[in-house]
Amino acid sequence: MFSHLERPALARAGWRQLLADFSPLYAANGFIGFMFAATAPVAIILSVGVGGDLSEAELSSWIFGVFFINGLVTILMCWLYRQPLAFFWTIPGTVLVGPALAHLSFPQVIGAFYATGLLMLLLGATGWVKRVMRSVPMPIVMGMVAGVFLRFGLDLVRSLQQDIGIAGPMVLVFIVLTMRPALGRRLPPLIGALLVGAVASVLLGRFNSHALESLQLVQPVLQLPQWSWAAMVELVVPLTITVLVVQNGQGIAVLKAVGHEPPVDSITVACGAGALLSAVVGSVSTCLTGPTNAIITASGERSRHYSAGVTTGVVAVMIGLLSPAFTSLMLQAPKAFIMALASLAMLRVLQAAFIASFKDKFTLGALVAFLVTVADLSLANIGAAFGGLVAGMTVSWLLERRDFVAAAAPAARK
């Protein structure tokens, strides 16, 4: 079953080769790539987890899984393929979990994580993943994603209303660093917003520093899954699609743009295996990350980019082991800080989702998927995200048949 997986084009790098390919430039790119994943995306986990009444221990275990396990996957894949293949966790999938926790138990959600991992492993092992990626219209998927992400755009406005003293400087610095690309390359806008928000929180007396008093290694919370048809229907298909089509599709496009040839089937198998291991400690599914891979390939020689990916993985493993202190530190932060940081991270993604949804084909289906998802009405205890996908696909199939024909034509010629 696994015989068709892509073979590495180059021999595996030994220690001498890895050290020869390593330099401060790649270490810096790898560390900045990690910092992107360790700031605003973690704020999204905390926002979803706190809203779902998860305990601090469960949140710490979740963060341990997304860093430690995915860090190991990153190191292994970068070493095997000598390419920058950084894996973290699906942000759209994390957001999908939020509404699900309103009517499903966490063990039921964990069961869906396991099923998603098995499905991705099967799709990668059989080579069907490329067919799946071609068969689901991206505009409809992104319409659903835009509906899920909309609340983060609204949270940015709410954070400014609730605590302008913290959220205001964060937004201002984010805008300035985005306006000045030269500055933004030295200090990424999200990291600048994080630093300014942290300083503002301390100066205004809104930050509790007790989390810094002690460091302790993680004690993962092993989660037993509970099987629920409602959770399977609501989460497995949307999670799989967001990983394979949205997240992996973005990561693969980023790597191809700089001249790499990422192994699509092997990446899918790695995501499936990572998702299964992550589910054990209550973490959302693994994916190939787009933004982090974009950062670690931003400069340097193409043949040495993989060393930046290894750096990212090593730092992720270390932080994963210290996740209790990291989680406690983030939980002590003011609510407006978490809301603003998570919203700023999602702002460009929300913009891209709208553009991809309504730019060209399948626009009516994308609109229906967006509206059904935003309405957030569950049917038979099944959340709105899956309903949005089904409604959007149905409407497009009935009323936008020409778009399906046009999309199928290039694939038929291959």
Side-chain angles (χ1 to χ4, degrees):
M1 182 180 288
F2 294 91
S3 59
H4 70 283
L5 295 183
E6 300 90 345
R7 296 179 179 274
L10 300 173
R12 297 166 191 166
W15 284 109
R16 290 183 179 179
Q17 183 66 54
L18 180 58
L19 290 174
D21 289 335
F22 190 76
S23 77
L25 171 66
Y26 303 102
N29 286 348
F31 183 74
I32 293 172
F34 168 79
M35 284 298 294
F36 177 87
T39 51
V42 169
I44 295 168
I45 290 178
L46 296 179
S47 176
V48 168
V50 171
D53 293 326
L54 300 188
S55 67
E56 184 171 334
E58 288 173 323
L59 286 171
S60 175
S61 186
W62 185 336
I63 292 173
F64 161 75
V66 297
F67 283 136
F68 183 84
I69 293 171
N70 293 324
L72 292 178
V73 173
T74 295
I75 294 169
L76 177 62
M77 291 294 285
C78 289
W79 175 68
L80 283 176
Y81 286 91
R82 288 178 71 173
Q83 289 192 45
L85 299 172
F87 293 79
F88 278 119
W89 66 97
T90 166
I91 295 175
T94 303
V95 178
L96 281 170
V97 171
L101 286 173
H103 57 272
L104 296 172
S105 68
F106 195 41
Q108 289 173 327
V109 171
I110 298 296
F113 289 168
Y114 275 103
T116 302
L118 287 172
L119 180 56
M120 289 194 292
L121 198 61
L122 177 64
L123 291 172
T126 58
W128 294 343
V129 61
K130 295 171 186 174
R131 298 180 187 176
V132 171
M133 293 176 73
R134 288 196 300 263
S135 64
V136 182
M138 180 63 79
I140 296 175
V141 174
M142 297 309 289
M144 179 269 290
V145 170
V148 172
F149 284 179
L150 182 63
R151 79 174 181 89
F152 285 93
L154 299 175
D155 276 349
L156 181 59
V157 180
R158 295 186 181 111
S159 68
L160 289 167
Q161 181 187 32
Q162 291 177 11
D163 203 330
I164 188 67
I166 292 175
M170 294 174 69
V171 172
L172 181 61
V173 167
F174 180 85
I175 292 173
V176 170
L177 292 175
T178 303
M179 287 174 59
R180 302 288 184 180
L183 290 175
R185 282 191 291 270
R186 294 183 177 89
L187 182 64
L190 279 172
I191 296 179
L194 165 72
L195 295 175
V196 169
V199 170
S201 299
V202 172
L203 292 178
L204 294 174
R206 312 278 182 80
F207 179 73
N208 189 334
S209 61
H210 292 311
L212 299 174
E213 294 176 358
S214 64
L215 293 176
Q216 57 178 332
L217 292 178
V218 67
Q219 295 180 339
V221 178
L222 302 183
Q223 299 284 356
L224 294 176
Q226 182 177 337
W227 306 108
S228 160
W229 282 112
M232 297 298 131
V233 173
E234 176 176 349
L235 289 175
V236 173
V237 172
L239 275 174
T240 303
I241 289 175
T242 54
V243 169
L244 300 184
V245 180
V246 180
Q247 301 265 216
N248 287 11
Q250 182 188 51
I252 290 166
V254 163
L255 292 173
K256 285 187 173 182
V258 293
H260 292 286
E261 287 298 329
V264 177
D265 291 324
S266 297
I267 286 170
T268 307
V269 168
C271 288
L276 288 172
L277 292 172
S278 298
V280 175
V281 293
S283 302
V284 75
S285 303
T286 298
C287 72
L288 183 73
T289 169
T292 299
N293 279 309
I295 292 169
I296 65 180
T297 59
S299 57
E301 300 173 35
R302 186 193 310 160
S303 62
R304 299 169 68 184
H305 284 160
Y306 79 96
S307 65
V310 171
T311 301
T312 300
V314 170
V315 177
V317 167
M318 295 169 59
I319 295 299
L321 291 173
L322 298 173
S323 62
F326 186 74
T327 304
S328 180
L329 183 67
M330 293 290 284
L331 287 174
Q332 298 297 332
K335 183 178 179 181
F337 172 82
I338 298 296
M339 289 173 64
L341 191 60
S343 298
L344 288 171
M346 303 305 297
L347 201 58
R348 288 291 191 185
V349 184
L350 180 60
Q351 179 191 29
F354 276 117
I355 292 172
S357 299
F358 306 116
K359 181 180 179 181
D360 190 13
K361 298 180 177 65
F362 304 103
T363 53
L364 182 59
L367 177 62
V368 171
F370 172 76
L371 293 174
V372 172
T373 305
V374 169
D376 198 24
L377 299 176
S378 61
L379 180 64
N381 213 32
I382 296 169
F386 180 75
L389 279 176
V390 172
M393 289 284 288
T394 302
V395 168
S396 276
W397 182 253
L398 294 174
L399 303 179
E400 296 178 315
R401 188 71 63 88
R402 291 181 180 179
D403 290 345
F404 279 97
V405 174
R413 288 195 294 267
K414 291 182 180 179

